Amino acid sequence: MTKTQFIEALHQTGVELTDRQIAQFEQYMKLLQQWNEKMNLTAITEENEVWEKHFYDSILPFASLRPTSMCDVGSGAGFPGIPVKIAFPECDMTLLEPLQKRCRFLSEVVDQLGLQKVTIANARAEDYVKEHRDSFQIVCARAVAKLSVLLELCVPLLKMDGIMVALKGKNGDEELKAAQKAIRELGIQLVREEKTTIEDGASRINFYFKKTRPTPKKYPRAYGQIKKKPLEEETWEK
């Protein structure tokens, strides 16, 4: 996907970019390529792939949501949080990332791009939630953990009626089956799923969960417990 194709593809979803926003995406790509030479941020650095697999793939799931407050859990190199922030500058964005060196990169991106209303939190989700439970309209995560684990980490951060967006790959359907216990326990329901295929044939599944009742205070548990005994049916735990 070229830059022109990226702009047109977003236009088709109703997302219009200004010249300044396009320049921000170009600067973000340069920083990603430069910093990737000294730390492992991403395996995808070729320009056309970045436009599609990092930028377009990040924004597409949120085109219809128009987020106003969002937490990107396990933000890493900033996906999907920073592309969403560029596309929707009014969004109050929190980038939650446990690795300090990646937080330094995120800080550099925010400074260089002149982004406002961005919080970079150097913390794990299960710790961050202690002071930020029920805080966000949208919580999202991309390529962080399997769905049952992801939901336990993310859903407690959601406001009532908020939306959790899980960006998953080809194993998404299997993960969803395994996560039914988590869905029941955490007070959410699946309201939508979107499947897309990008140019190289890779499939994406985006799941949208709505918080319909308060999440019990015992969640999230300590990460060791979550990993050892995820909220899955017994048949899936074996």
Side-chain angles (χ1 to χ4, degrees), residues 196-238:
T196 58
T197 303
I198 55 178
E199 281 185 4
D200 65 358
S203 59
R204 299 276 189 274
I205 307 176
N206 300 322
F207 296 115
Y208 299 77
F209 300 92
K210 185 175 183 178
K211 189 168 187 174
T212 56
R213 56 184 173 82
T215 301
K217 296 291 187 189
K218 65 181 178 180
Y219 300 118
R221 298 165 292 163
Y223 191 70
Q225 288 180 283
I226 299 173
K227 288 282 285 182
K228 186 176 180 180
K229 196 169 178 62
L231 292 175
E232 298 179 355
E233 311 296 350
E234 287 187 13
T235 53
W236 289 97
E237 290 170 359
K238 295 176 182 177

mmCIF file of all heavy atoms in Angstrom, residues 196-238:
data_model
loop_
_atom_site.group_PDB
_atom_site.id
_atom_site.type_symbol
_atom_site.label_atom_id
_atom_site.label_comp_id
_atom_site.label_asym_id
_atom_site.label_seq_id
_atom_site.Cartn_x
_atom_site.Cartn_y
_atom_site.Cartn_z
ATOM 1 N N THR A 196 -10.848 -9.043 8.143
ATOM 2 C CA THR A 196 -10.273 -8.393 6.972
ATOM 3 C C THR A 196 -9.075 -9.196 6.489
ATOM 4 O O THR A 196 -8.443 -9.924 7.244
ATOM 5 C CB THR A 196 -9.820 -6.955 7.276
ATOM 6 O OG1 THR A 196 -8.855 -6.980 8.339
ATOM 7 C CG2 THR A 196 -10.987 -6.088 7.690
ATOM 8 N N THR A 197 -8.762 -9.053 5.208
ATOM 9 C CA THR A 197 -7.570 -9.668 4.631
ATOM 10 C C THR A 197 -6.766 -8.575 3.965
ATOM 11 O O THR A 197 -7.308 -7.790 3.171
ATOM 12 C CB THR A 197 -7.939 -10.751 3.604
ATOM 13 O OG1 THR A 197 -8.764 -11.730 4.225
ATOM 14 C CG2 THR A 197 -6.688 -11.431 3.053
ATOM 15 N N ILE A 198 -5.482 -8.484 4.307
ATOM 16 C CA ILE A 198 -4.653 -7.454 3.707
ATOM 17 C C ILE A 198 -3.883 -8.043 2.522
ATOM 18 O O ILE A 198 -4.006 -9.219 2.207
ATOM 19 C CB ILE A 198 -3.712 -6.808 4.740
ATOM 20 C CG1 ILE A 198 -2.864 -7.866 5.441
ATOM 21 C CG2 ILE A 198 -4.507 -6.021 5.762
ATOM 22 C CD1 ILE A 198 -1.891 -7.265 6.438
ATOM 23 N N GLU A 199 -3.081 -7.215 1.866
ATOM 24 C CA GLU A 199 -2.544 -7.538 0.548
ATOM 25 C C GLU A 199 -1.770 -8.847 0.483
ATOM 26 O O GLU A 199 -1.839 -9.557 -0.510
ATOM 27 C CB GLU A 199 -1.664 -6.392 0.034
ATOM 28 C CG GLU A 199 -2.480 -5.226 -0.523
ATOM 29 C CD GLU A 199 -1.591 -4.156 -1.128
ATOM 30 O OE1 GLU A 199 -0.364 -4.356 -1.179
ATOM 31 O OE2 GLU A 199 -2.126 -3.125 -1.559
ATOM 32 N N ASP A 200 -1.033 -9.195 1.538
ATOM 33 C CA ASP A 200 -0.229 -10.414 1.481
ATOM 34 C C ASP A 200 -1.035 -11.656 1.853
ATOM 35 O O ASP A 200 -0.476 -12.754 1.994
ATOM 36 C CB ASP A 200 1.007 -10.293 2.383
ATOM 37 C CG ASP A 200 0.646 -10.177 3.861
ATOM 38 O OD1 ASP A 200 -0.557 -10.152 4.177
ATOM 39 O OD2 ASP A 200 1.571 -10.125 4.682
ATOM 40 N N GLY A 201 -2.341 -11.487 2.024
ATOM 41 C CA GLY A 201 -3.200 -12.627 2.331
ATOM 42 C C GLY A 201 -3.371 -12.896 3.809
ATOM 43 O O GLY A 201 -4.127 -13.779 4.209
ATOM 44 N N ALA A 202 -2.671 -12.129 4.655
ATOM 45 C CA ALA A 202 -2.803 -12.327 6.101
ATOM 46 C C ALA A 202 -4.197 -11.905 6.553
ATOM 47 O O ALA A 202 -4.740 -10.907 6.084
ATOM 48 C CB ALA A 202 -1.748 -11.507 6.831
ATOM 49 N N SER A 203 -4.770 -12.687 7.436
ATOM 50 C CA SER A 203 -6.118 -12.386 7.903
ATOM 51 C C SER A 203 -6.071 -11.710 9.271
ATOM 52 O O SER A 203 -5.188 -11.974 10.079
ATOM 53 C CB SER A 203 -6.963 -13.655 7.983
ATOM 54 O OG SER A 203 -6.378 -14.588 8.866
ATOM 55 N N ARG A 204 -7.036 -10.839 9.509
ATOM 56 C CA ARG A 204 -7.174 -10.126 10.767
ATOM 57 C C ARG A 204 -8.602 -10.325 11.269
ATOM 58 O O ARG A 204 -9.544 -10.316 10.487
ATOM 59 C CB ARG A 204 -6.944 -8.619 10.581
ATOM 60 C CG ARG A 204 -5.561 -8.256 10.061
ATOM 61 C CD ARG A 204 -4.564 -8.190 11.193
ATOM 62 N NE ARG A 204 -3.303 -7.644 10.736
ATOM 63 C CZ ARG A 204 -2.333 -8.340 10.177
ATOM 64 N NH1 ARG A 204 -2.480 -9.635 9.973
ATOM 65 N NH2 ARG A 204 -1.208 -7.764 9.802
ATOM 66 N N ILE A 205 -8.747 -10.476 12.571
ATOM 67 C CA ILE A 205 -10.068 -10.491 13.178
ATOM 68 C C ILE A 205 -10.058 -9.485 14.314
ATOM 69 O O ILE A 205 -9.211 -9.558 15.210
ATOM 70 C CB ILE A 205 -10.451 -11.881 13.726
ATOM 71 C CG1 ILE A 205 -10.293 -12.965 12.657
ATOM 72 C CG2 ILE A 205 -11.890 -11.865 14.239
ATOM 73 C CD1 ILE A 205 -10.573 -14.371 13.171
ATOM 74 N N ASN A 206 -10.969 -8.539 14.256
ATOM 75 C CA ASN A 206 -11.097 -7.560 15.317
ATOM 76 C C ASN A 206 -12.381 -7.834 16.091
ATOM 77 O O ASN A 206 -13.465 -7.889 15.502
ATOM 78 C CB ASN A 206 -11.122 -6.134 14.740
ATOM 79 C CG ASN A 206 -9.854 -5.815 13.974
ATOM 80 O OD1 ASN A 206 -8.770 -6.219 14.376
ATOM 81 N ND2 ASN A 206 -9.979 -5.097 12.872
ATOM 82 N N PHE A 207 -12.252 -8.022 17.387
ATOM 83 C CA PHE A 207 -13.399 -8.298 18.238
ATOM 84 C C PHE A 207 -13.755 -7.045 19.042
ATOM 85 O O PHE A 207 -12.875 -6.382 19.594
ATOM 86 C CB PHE A 207 -13.089 -9.450 19.209
ATOM 87 C CG PHE A 207 -12.843 -10.769 18.544
ATOM 88 C CD1 PHE A 207 -11.602 -11.377 18.627
ATOM 89 C CD2 PHE A 207 -13.853 -11.418 17.841
ATOM 90 C CE1 PHE A 207 -11.364 -12.605 18.021
ATOM 91 C CE2 PHE A 207 -13.626 -12.640 17.233
ATOM 92 C CZ PHE A 207 -12.381 -13.234 17.318
ATOM 93 N N TYR A 208 -15.050 -6.763 19.129
ATOM 94 C CA TYR A 208 -15.549 -5.613 19.881
ATOM 95 C C TYR A 208 -16.429 -6.119 21.025
ATOM 96 O O TYR A 208 -17.448 -6.772 20.791
ATOM 97 C CB TYR A 208 -16.376 -4.697 18.976
ATOM 98 C CG TYR A 208 -15.611 -4.109 17.820
ATOM 99 C CD1 TYR A 208 -15.321 -4.873 16.681
ATOM 100 C CD2 TYR A 208 -15.175 -2.785 17.840
ATOM 101 C CE1 TYR A 208 -14.625 -4.343 15.609
ATOM 102 C CE2 TYR A 208 -14.476 -2.243 16.771
ATOM 103 C CZ TYR A 208 -14.208 -3.034 15.661
ATOM 104 O OH TYR A 208 -13.523 -2.493 14.598
ATOM 105 N N PHE A 209 -16.011 -5.831 22.245
ATOM 106 C CA PHE A 209 -16.760 -6.250 23.426
ATOM 107 C C PHE A 209 -17.290 -5.020 24.150
ATOM 108 O O PHE A 209 -16.555 -4.049 24.345
ATOM 109 C CB PHE A 209 -15.858 -7.028 24.390
ATOM 110 C CG PHE A 209 -15.263 -8.277 23.806
ATOM 111 C CD1 PHE A 209 -14.008 -8.242 23.194
ATOM 112 C CD2 PHE A 209 -15.930 -9.486 23.870
ATOM 113 C CE1 PHE A 209 -13.443 -9.391 22.666
ATOM 114 C CE2 PHE A 209 -15.373 -10.640 23.345
ATOM 115 C CZ PHE A 209 -14.122 -10.594 22.736
ATOM 116 N N LYS A 210 -18.550 -5.074 24.562
ATOM 117 C CA LYS A 210 -19.149 -3.972 25.323
ATOM 118 C C LYS A 210 -19.241 -4.345 26.792
ATOM 119 O O LYS A 210 -19.624 -5.476 27.126
ATOM 120 C CB LYS A 210 -20.547 -3.655 24.785
ATOM 121 C CG LYS A 210 -21.189 -2.437 25.435
ATOM 122 C CD LYS A 210 -22.518 -2.115 24.774
ATOM 123 C CE LYS A 210 -23.125 -0.850 25.372
ATOM 124 N NZ LYS A 210 -24.398 -0.486 24.713
ATOM 125 N N LYS A 211 -18.880 -3.412 27.662
ATOM 126 C CA LYS A 211 -18.974 -3.654 29.104
ATOM 127 C C LYS A 211 -20.408 -3.402 29.552
ATOM 128 O O LYS A 211 -20.888 -2.261 29.529
ATOM 129 C CB LYS A 211 -18.001 -2.753 29.860
ATOM 130 C CG LYS A 211 -17.868 -3.089 31.347
ATOM 131 C CD LYS A 211 -16.675 -2.363 31.937
ATOM 132 C CE LYS A 211 -16.391 -2.774 33.364
ATOM 133 N NZ LYS A 211 -15.148 -2.172 33.859
ATOM 134 N N THR A 212 -21.091 -4.462 29.960
ATOM 135 C CA THR A 212 -22.511 -4.379 30.276
ATOM 136 C C THR A 212 -22.801 -4.417 31.774
ATOM 137 O O THR A 212 -23.917 -4.155 32.199
ATOM 138 C CB THR A 212 -23.276 -5.509 29.585
ATOM 139 O OG1 THR A 212 -22.690 -6.769 29.970
ATOM 140 C CG2 THR A 212 -23.199 -5.371 28.061
ATOM 141 N N ARG A 213 -21.815 -4.786 32.580
ATOM 142 C CA ARG A 213 -21.973 -4.756 34.037
ATOM 143 C C ARG A 213 -20.587 -4.580 34.664
ATOM 144 O O ARG A 213 -19.572 -4.834 34.011
ATOM 145 C CB ARG A 213 -22.659 -6.021 34.555
ATOM 146 C CG ARG A 213 -21.997 -7.316 34.196
ATOM 147 C CD ARG A 213 -22.796 -8.523 34.680
ATOM 148 N NE ARG A 213 -22.222 -9.766 34.188
ATOM 149 C CZ ARG A 213 -21.192 -10.394 34.735
ATOM 150 N NH1 ARG A 213 -20.609 -9.887 35.817
ATOM 151 N NH2 ARG A 213 -20.736 -11.512 34.229
ATOM 152 N N PRO A 214 -20.542 -4.139 35.920
ATOM 153 C CA PRO A 214 -19.235 -3.889 36.549
ATOM 154 C C PRO A 214 -18.375 -5.156 36.605
ATOM 155 O O PRO A 214 -18.874 -6.248 36.874
ATOM 156 C CB PRO A 214 -19.605 -3.414 37.957
ATOM 157 C CG PRO A 214 -20.994 -2.877 37.830
ATOM 158 C CD PRO A 214 -21.657 -3.733 36.799
ATOM 159 N N THR A 215 -17.085 -4.987 36.352
ATOM 160 C CA THR A 215 -16.138 -6.101 36.472
ATOM 161 C C THR A 215 -15.849 -6.344 37.948
ATOM 162 O O THR A 215 -15.548 -5.399 38.675
ATOM 163 C CB THR A 215 -14.830 -5.765 35.740
ATOM 164 O OG1 THR A 215 -15.124 -5.501 34.353
ATOM 165 C CG2 THR A 215 -13.836 -6.910 35.833
ATOM 166 N N PRO A 216 -15.953 -7.593 38.413
ATOM 167 C CA PRO A 216 -15.645 -7.873 39.823
ATOM 168 C C PRO A 216 -14.271 -7.338 40.216
ATOM 169 O O PRO A 216 -13.304 -7.427 39.455
ATOM 170 C CB PRO A 216 -15.684 -9.413 39.881
ATOM 171 C CG PRO A 216 -16.633 -9.801 38.791
ATOM 172 C CD PRO A 216 -16.394 -8.798 37.692
ATOM 173 N N LYS A 217 -14.189 -6.791 41.428
ATOM 174 C CA LYS A 217 -12.968 -6.124 41.887
ATOM 175 C C LYS A 217 -11.766 -7.068 41.966
ATOM 176 O O LYS A 217 -10.620 -6.618 41.965
ATOM 177 C CB LYS A 217 -13.192 -5.493 43.265
ATOM 178 C CG LYS A 217 -14.231 -4.389 43.291
ATOM 179 C CD LYS A 217 -13.765 -3.160 42.558
ATOM 180 C CE LYS A 217 -14.763 -2.018 42.762
ATOM 181 N NZ LYS A 217 -14.449 -0.860 41.893
ATOM 182 N N LYS A 218 -12.020 -8.379 42.036
ATOM 183 C CA LYS A 218 -10.898 -9.322 42.136
ATOM 184 C C LYS A 218 -10.107 -9.424 40.837
ATOM 185 O O LYS A 218 -9.019 -10.011 40.819
ATOM 186 C CB LYS A 218 -11.390 -10.700 42.560
ATOM 187 C CG LYS A 218 -12.305 -11.385 41.561
ATOM 188 C CD LYS A 218 -12.755 -12.748 42.099
ATOM 189 C CE LYS A 218 -13.709 -13.453 41.146
ATOM 190 N NZ LYS A 218 -14.142 -14.757 41.669
ATOM 191 N N TYR A 219 -10.640 -8.857 39.756
ATOM 192 C CA TYR A 219 -9.923 -8.863 38.477
ATOM 193 C C TYR A 219 -9.378 -7.468 38.186
ATOM 194 O O TYR A 219 -10.023 -6.469 38.473
ATOM 195 C CB TYR A 219 -10.853 -9.304 37.344
ATOM 196 C CG TYR A 219 -11.410 -10.689 37.527
ATOM 197 C CD1 TYR A 219 -12.785 -10.901 37.651
ATOM 198 C CD2 TYR A 219 -10.559 -11.794 37.603
ATOM 199 C CE1 TYR A 219 -13.295 -12.176 37.826
ATOM 200 C CE2 TYR A 219 -11.063 -13.068 37.780
ATOM 201 C CZ TYR A 219 -12.434 -13.258 37.889
ATOM 202 O OH TYR A 219 -12.933 -14.520 38.080
ATOM 203 N N PRO A 220 -8.183 -7.366 37.600
ATOM 204 C CA PRO A 220 -7.329 -8.484 37.201
ATOM 205 C C PRO A 220 -6.536 -9.055 38.380
ATOM 206 O O PRO A 220 -6.194 -8.327 39.309
ATOM 207 C CB PRO A 220 -6.378 -7.844 36.189
ATOM 208 C CG PRO A 220 -6.233 -6.424 36.667
ATOM 209 C CD PRO A 220 -7.585 -6.064 37.227
ATOM 210 N N ARG A 221 -6.259 -10.336 38.305
ATOM 211 C CA ARG A 221 -5.387 -10.983 39.278
ATOM 212 C C ARG A 221 -3.924 -10.648 38.951
ATOM 213 O O ARG A 221 -3.641 -10.002 37.949
ATOM 214 C CB ARG A 221 -5.597 -12.501 39.227
ATOM 215 C CG ARG A 221 -7.018 -12.946 39.589
ATOM 216 C CD ARG A 221 -7.264 -14.372 39.173
ATOM 217 N NE ARG A 221 -7.277 -14.503 37.718
ATOM 218 C CZ ARG A 221 -7.139 -15.668 37.058
ATOM 219 N NH1 ARG A 221 -6.965 -16.798 37.732
ATOM 220 N NH2 ARG A 221 -7.161 -15.697 35.737
ATOM 221 N N ALA A 222 -3.014 -11.088 39.790
ATOM 222 C CA ALA A 222 -1.584 -10.941 39.493
ATOM 223 C C ALA A 222 -1.284 -11.668 38.187
ATOM 224 O O ALA A 222 -1.891 -12.699 37.878
ATOM 225 C CB ALA A 222 -0.746 -11.515 40.626
ATOM 226 N N TYR A 223 -0.328 -11.116 37.424
ATOM 227 C CA TYR A 223 -0.095 -11.667 36.081
ATOM 228 C C TYR A 223 0.299 -13.144 36.124
ATOM 229 O O TYR A 223 -0.093 -13.921 35.245
ATOM 230 C CB TYR A 223 0.982 -10.858 35.355
ATOM 231 C CG TYR A 223 1.070 -11.206 33.885
ATOM 232 C CD1 TYR A 223 0.058 -10.841 33.009
ATOM 233 C CD2 TYR A 223 2.160 -11.913 33.366
ATOM 234 C CE1 TYR A 223 0.112 -11.155 31.667
ATOM 235 C CE2 TYR A 223 2.225 -12.239 32.029
ATOM 236 C CZ TYR A 223 1.198 -11.860 31.178
ATOM 237 O OH TYR A 223 1.249 -12.186 29.857
ATOM 238 N N GLY A 224 1.070 -13.542 37.139
ATOM 239 C CA GLY A 224 1.446 -14.951 37.256
ATOM 240 C C GLY A 224 0.232 -15.847 37.365
ATOM 241 O O GLY A 224 0.187 -16.928 36.766
ATOM 242 N N GLN A 225 -0.779 -15.413 38.113
ATOM 243 C CA GLN A 225 -2.000 -16.186 38.247
ATOM 244 C C GLN A 225 -2.782 -16.230 36.941
ATOM 245 O O GLN A 225 -3.345 -17.259 36.573
ATOM 246 C CB GLN A 225 -2.893 -15.576 39.341
ATOM 247 C CG GLN A 225 -2.393 -15.781 40.751
ATOM 248 C CD GLN A 225 -3.348 -15.148 41.745
ATOM 249 O OE1 GLN A 225 -3.359 -13.933 41.931
ATOM 250 N NE2 GLN A 225 -4.174 -15.980 42.374
ATOM 251 N N ILE A 226 -2.834 -15.088 36.262
ATOM 252 C CA ILE A 226 -3.559 -15.022 34.988
ATOM 253 C C ILE A 226 -2.962 -16.012 33.990
ATOM 254 O O ILE A 226 -3.685 -16.746 33.309
ATOM 255 C CB ILE A 226 -3.511 -13.595 34.400
ATOM 256 C CG1 ILE A 226 -4.180 -12.603 35.348
ATOM 257 C CG2 ILE A 226 -4.193 -13.551 33.034
ATOM 258 C CD1 ILE A 226 -4.032 -11.148 34.924
ATOM 259 N N LYS A 227 -1.637 -16.027 33.913
ATOM 260 C CA LYS A 227 -0.957 -16.929 32.970
ATOM 261 C C LYS A 227 -1.124 -18.394 33.382
ATOM 262 O O LYS A 227 -1.338 -19.271 32.539
ATOM 263 C CB LYS A 227 0.531 -16.584 32.901
ATOM 264 C CG LYS A 227 0.829 -15.297 32.171
ATOM 265 C CD LYS A 227 0.758 -15.451 30.663
ATOM 266 C CE LYS A 227 1.973 -16.197 30.135
ATOM 267 N NZ LYS A 227 1.948 -16.312 28.662
ATOM 268 N N LYS A 228 -1.016 -18.657 34.677
ATOM 269 C CA LYS A 228 -1.068 -20.035 35.160
ATOM 270 C C LYS A 228 -2.474 -20.614 35.042
ATOM 271 O O LYS A 228 -2.654 -21.782 34.668
ATOM 272 C CB LYS A 228 -0.611 -20.091 36.619
ATOM 273 C CG LYS A 228 -0.500 -21.496 37.181
ATOM 274 C CD LYS A 228 0.051 -21.469 38.600
ATOM 275 C CE LYS A 228 0.163 -22.883 39.164
ATOM 276 N NZ LYS A 228 0.703 -22.881 40.550
ATOM 277 N N LYS A 229 -3.485 -19.811 35.341
ATOM 278 C CA LYS A 229 -4.860 -20.282 35.298
ATOM 279 C C LYS A 229 -5.744 -19.228 34.634
ATOM 280 O O LYS A 229 -6.473 -18.486 35.295
ATOM 281 C CB LYS A 229 -5.366 -20.592 36.708
ATOM 282 C CG LYS A 229 -6.630 -21.439 36.728
ATOM 283 C CD LYS A 229 -6.927 -21.933 38.131
ATOM 284 C CE LYS A 229 -8.213 -22.753 38.169
ATOM 285 N NZ LYS A 229 -8.141 -23.967 37.325
ATOM 286 N N PRO A 230 -5.677 -19.132 33.293
ATOM 287 C CA PRO A 230 -6.482 -18.134 32.577
ATOM 288 C C PRO A 230 -7.975 -18.433 32.717
ATOM 289 O O PRO A 230 -8.371 -19.558 33.039
ATOM 290 C CB PRO A 230 -6.012 -18.284 31.125
ATOM 291 C CG PRO A 230 -5.467 -19.659 31.038
ATOM 292 C CD PRO A 230 -4.877 -19.954 32.380
ATOM 293 N N LEU A 231 -8.782 -17.413 32.478
ATOM 294 C CA LEU A 231 -10.234 -17.566 32.573
ATOM 295 C C LEU A 231 -10.751 -18.295 31.337
ATOM 296 O O LEU A 231 -11.318 -17.707 30.415
ATOM 297 C CB LEU A 231 -10.898 -16.195 32.716
ATOM 298 C CG LEU A 231 -10.631 -15.463 34.026
ATOM 299 C CD1 LEU A 231 -11.239 -14.071 33.994
ATOM 300 C CD2 LEU A 231 -11.156 -16.263 35.211
ATOM 301 N N GLU A 232 -10.526 -19.608 31.336
ATOM 302 C CA GLU A 232 -10.952 -20.465 30.228
ATOM 303 C C GLU A 232 -11.671 -21.685 30.796
ATOM 304 O O GLU A 232 -11.457 -22.077 31.943
ATOM 305 C CB GLU A 232 -9.754 -20.913 29.388
ATOM 306 C CG GLU A 232 -9.018 -19.755 28.722
ATOM 307 C CD GLU A 232 -7.811 -20.221 27.922
ATOM 308 O OE1 GLU A 232 -7.492 -21.421 27.964
ATOM 309 O OE2 GLU A 232 -7.182 -19.369 27.269
ATOM 310 N N GLU A 233 -12.528 -22.296 29.980
ATOM 311 C CA GLU A 233 -13.180 -23.530 30.399
ATOM 312 C C GLU A 233 -12.117 -24.611 30.631
ATOM 313 O O GLU A 233 -11.054 -24.592 30.015
ATOM 314 C CB GLU A 233 -14.165 -24.001 29.306
ATOM 315 C CG GLU A 233 -15.103 -22.926 28.801
ATOM 316 C CD GLU A 233 -16.060 -22.394 29.863
ATOM 317 O OE1 GLU A 233 -16.122 -22.986 30.962
ATOM 318 O OE2 GLU A 233 -16.723 -21.393 29.611
ATOM 319 N N GLU A 234 -12.407 -25.556 31.484
ATOM 320 C CA GLU A 234 -11.446 -26.594 31.808
ATOM 321 C C GLU A 234 -10.963 -27.340 30.593
ATOM 322 O O GLU A 234 -9.788 -27.706 30.493
ATOM 323 C CB GLU A 234 -12.041 -27.576 32.821
ATOM 324 C CG GLU A 234 -12.162 -26.997 34.224
ATOM 325 C CD GLU A 234 -12.590 -28.031 35.236
ATOM 326 O OE1 GLU A 234 -12.547 -29.226 34.901
ATOM 327 O OE2 GLU A 234 -12.983 -27.642 36.340
ATOM 328 N N THR A 235 -11.832 -27.566 29.638
ATOM 329 C CA THR A 235 -11.429 -28.299 28.427
ATOM 330 C C THR A 235 -10.394 -27.545 27.630
ATOM 331 O O THR A 235 -9.616 -28.125 26.890
ATOM 332 C CB THR A 235 -12.639 -28.599 27.529
ATOM 333 O OG1 THR A 235 -13.333 -27.357 27.283
ATOM 334 C CG2 THR A 235 -13.577 -29.587 28.173
ATOM 335 N N TRP A 236 -10.393 -26.200 27.797
ATOM 336 C CA TRP A 236 -9.425 -25.377 27.056
ATOM 337 C C TRP A 236 -8.133 -25.198 27.834
ATOM 338 O O TRP A 236 -7.130 -24.800 27.277
ATOM 339 C CB TRP A 236 -10.030 -24.009 26.749
ATOM 340 C CG TRP A 236 -11.102 -24.089 25.721
ATOM 341 C CD1 TRP A 236 -12.450 -24.148 25.936
ATOM 342 C CD2 TRP A 236 -10.938 -24.145 24.305
ATOM 343 N NE1 TRP A 236 -13.125 -24.248 24.755
ATOM 344 C CE2 TRP A 236 -12.210 -24.241 23.726
ATOM 345 C CE3 TRP A 236 -9.822 -24.135 23.466
ATOM 346 C CZ2 TRP A 236 -12.422 -24.326 22.363
ATOM 347 C CZ3 TRP A 236 -10.030 -24.210 22.096
ATOM 348 C CH2 TRP A 236 -11.319 -24.307 21.560
ATOM 349 N N GLU A 237 -8.178 -25.480 29.126
ATOM 350 C CA GLU A 237 -6.976 -25.261 29.948
ATOM 351 C C GLU A 237 -5.957 -26.379 29.778
ATOM 352 O O GLU A 237 -4.800 -26.231 30.122
ATOM 353 C CB GLU A 237 -7.383 -25.133 31.422
ATOM 354 C CG GLU A 237 -8.148 -23.837 31.712
ATOM 355 C CD GLU A 237 -8.740 -23.829 33.093
ATOM 356 O OE1 GLU A 237 -8.578 -24.819 33.820
ATOM 357 O OE2 GLU A 237 -9.389 -22.821 33.451
ATOM 358 N N LYS A 238 -6.391 -27.517 29.246
ATOM 359 C CA LYS A 238 -5.480 -28.671 29.123
ATOM 360 C C LYS A 238 -4.553 -28.497 27.928
ATOM 361 O O LYS A 238 -4.916 -27.871 26.955
ATOM 362 C CB LYS A 238 -6.303 -29.959 28.979
ATOM 363 C CG LYS A 238 -7.112 -30.241 30.243
ATOM 364 C CD LYS A 238 -7.999 -31.460 30.075
ATOM 365 C CE LYS A 238 -8.819 -31.702 31.324
ATOM 366 N NZ LYS A 238 -9.749 -32.838 31.171
#
